[in-house]
Amino acid sequence: MLDTNGFQIILASGSPRRKVFFEQMKLPFQIKVIPVNEDFPFGLNGVEIAKHIVHQKADAFLNNVQEKQLIITADTIVWHKNQSLGKPKNNEQAKNMLMTLANDSHEVITAVGFLQKDSWDVIYEVSRVTFGVLNDLEIENYIKTGSPLDKAGAYGIQDSFGIQNITSIHGSYSNIIGLPVPQVLKKIKEIITKN
């Protein structure tokens, strides 16, 4: 278990995948989620959107941050043809997203915020993913599993659908799942050893 130098690490995310990553990093941590509105101003591009939402998630904790607390917020978006694809609201939206991503490349962007009592920092990672041709039946069967509804862009690279249909990735694999683990761990170590 990593020595946190007296820091209490709070993961402000309900994502089961991020929870697993934190467990694998061997960090003592707690989960605390404050629901926030994830809307963003018109005109922001991919990275700016993810950073904006991460900041909103951190703002919810702003008045209650204690000394030696590190609150970590994260947001992942899929950026394709100058559009942000978040989590689909229903099956129809999930199908439309997957049909748009078929036989094309897109970016998966995760921003991660680090809030302390007297400081705020944010990092981000961009990975590139390419899907092969997708047919309607494959998409419909995948949607029936329910998995697309809690994932940005309506897919999980770790799902059998992703494994079977993604032809290439460039960049961090863990980022595509929802957390750029090496970058996050490096930042946490910097913060806890500096203080």
Side-chain angles (χ1 to χ4, degrees):
M1 198 66 87
L2 182 69
D3 178 11
T4 60
N5 193 23
F7 267 85
Q8 179 191 27
I9 296 172
I10 296 170
L11 172 61
S13 171
S15 161
R17 294 164 295 282
R18 291 188 188 124
K19 177 176 181 276
V20 168
F21 281 139
F22 267 73
E23 289 166 351
Q24 291 171 337
M25 286 190 277
K26 301 292 183 195
L27 287 167
F29 71 99
Q30 297 169 281
I31 292 176
K32 186 174 180 186
V33 181
I34 300 175
V36 298
N37 184 332
E38 296 190 15
D39 290 344
F40 53 87
F42 180 76
L44 296 185
N45 70 25
V47 170
E48 291 165 345
I49 292 167
K51 286 167 80 171
H52 179 84
I53 294 171
V54 155
H55 200 282
Q56 282 180 234
K57 290 178 177 180
D59 276 353
F61 290 86
L62 206 51
N63 296 328
N64 299 308
V65 190
Q66 307 296 311
E67 290 287 349
K68 286 279 196 176
Q69 261 187 350
L70 175 59
I71 294 164
I72 298 171
T73 61
D75 191 69
T76 301
I77 67 161
V78 167
W79 184 250
H80 182 58
K81 294 181 178 172
N82 290 319
Q83 266 195 311
S84 169
L85 305 182
K87 295 174 186 173
K89 292 183 170 60
N90 52 48
N91 288 351
E92 187 182 347
Q93 205 174 61
K95 183 175 182 179
N96 289 340
M97 283 185 188
L98 291 169
M99 288 171 73
T100 301
L101 297 175
N103 206 27
D104 204 355
S105 297
H106 61 272
E107 291 179 336
V108 179
I109 302 163
T110 302
V112 185
F114 301 85
L115 178 67
Q116 298 173 73
K117 190 164 179 61
D118 299 311
S119 73
W120 162 254
D121 203 1
V122 64
I123 63 171
Y124 67 89
E125 188 69 19
V126 181
S127 304
R128 193 161 182 79
V129 179
T130 304
F131 267 104
V133 177
L134 302 175
N135 69 53
D136 284 359
L137 185 61
E138 279 180 311
I139 290 173
E140 281 162 20
N141 286 340
Y142 180 46
I143 289 168
K144 281 178 191 165
T145 69
S147 186
L149 291 180
D150 79 328
K151 295 176 177 71
Y155 77 91
I157 192 170
Q158 71 279 21
D159 292 346
S160 60
F161 180 84
I163 289 165
Q164 291 168 19
N165 292 295
I166 288 169
T167 57
S168 72
I169 71 163
H170 182 77
S172 164
Y173 177 79
S174 69
N175 177 56
I176 300 164
I177 297 174
L179 197 75
V181 173
Q183 295 86 338
V184 169
L185 190 54
K186 179 173 180 261
K187 188 71 183 170
I188 291 170
K189 286 177 177 175
E190 279 173 16
I191 290 168
I192 63 182
T193 54
K194 191 172 73 179
N195 289 274

